[in-house]
Amino acid sequence: MQKEPIIAENVYAGKGQTNYPEPYAQLVSGRIKRKLGDYFGLTNFGVNLTTLEPGSISSLFHHHSSQDEFIYVLKGELVLRLGDRKYSLQPGDCVGLPAGTGTPHQLVNRSSEDATYLEIGDRSSGDEVNYPNDPIKVRMDSDGHWVFE
């Protein structure tokens, strides 16, 4: 059933909610993610309105085998770690993160204010996520659930 338009910030936000096992889950405790795509029942791609509190990270440093990601900064200042480079992102800045490049990425809020961004990604089945700095790996099963190894 088609849902009516809403104010994005009214969608339930899970602070620190993650599929990461401990001790990694603790690292994203300052991340507030509103899963807008899930709210509207989107199945081909996801859209998240994400806020990082000061000192928070978006995720572990990672790269995807088959899922593309796109980031658009709405508020605040973020540092994008992209491979061995770092970029300062301000409101209006965006970046596309193509799958299969092997280039890891992560957003970090090093400022003293909250930072908010839109995160858009496809939901390709069979995706694998590698974490070059951590001894874990995750893959998406045929039901669309993440399975950690």
Side-chain angles (χ1 to χ4, degrees):
M1 182 168 102
Q2 175 66 49
K3 292 189 177 183
E4 294 181 9
I6 57 156
I7 296 170
E9 290 185 346
N10 288 346
V11 171
Y12 170 78
K15 181 178 178 183
Q17 286 186 341
T18 181
N19 292 326
Y20 290 145
E22 289 296 348
Y24 309 105
Q26 201 174 89
L27 298 173
V28 294
S29 62
R31 180 183 71 190
I32 302 163
K33 188 177 283 201
R34 289 176 169 80
K35 296 183 177 186
L36 305 179
D38 288 354
Y39 176 84
F40 286 105
L42 302 181
T43 57
N44 294 323
F45 64 95
V47 180
N48 299 317
L49 178 63
T50 304
T51 298
L52 296 182
E53 295 177 338
S56 298
I57 62 172
S58 60
S59 61
L60 299 177
F61 199 49
H62 71 286
H63 60 88
H64 291 264
S65 66
S66 62
Q67 286 190 6
D68 291 336
E69 291 181 82
F70 180 84
I71 303 295
Y72 182 83
V73 180
L74 298 167
K75 176 182 140 190
E77 181 180 345
L78 293 164
V79 173
L80 168 66
R81 292 181 60 208
L82 185 63
D84 59 0
R85 298 166 303 211
K86 293 179 183 171
Y87 299 91
S88 177
L89 301 180
Q90 310 290 324
D93 290 342
C94 63
V95 63
L97 303 162
T101 65
T103 304
H105 57 274
Q106 174 189 57
L107 294 170
V108 181
N109 183 352
R110 293 194 175 140
S111 77
S112 59
E113 303 289 328
D114 286 356
T116 302
Y117 58 96
L118 277 176
E119 172 184 55
I120 303 164
D122 70 78
R123 297 182 183 208
S124 302
S125 62
D127 186 34
E128 292 184 0
V129 185
N130 291 291
Y131 302 89
N133 296 344
D134 298 290
I136 61 172
K137 185 176 179 179
V138 66
R139 63 178 171 77
M140 184 177 283
D141 68 15
S142 59
D143 294 327
H145 299 102
W146 292 108
V147 178
F148 282 85
E149 299 172 0

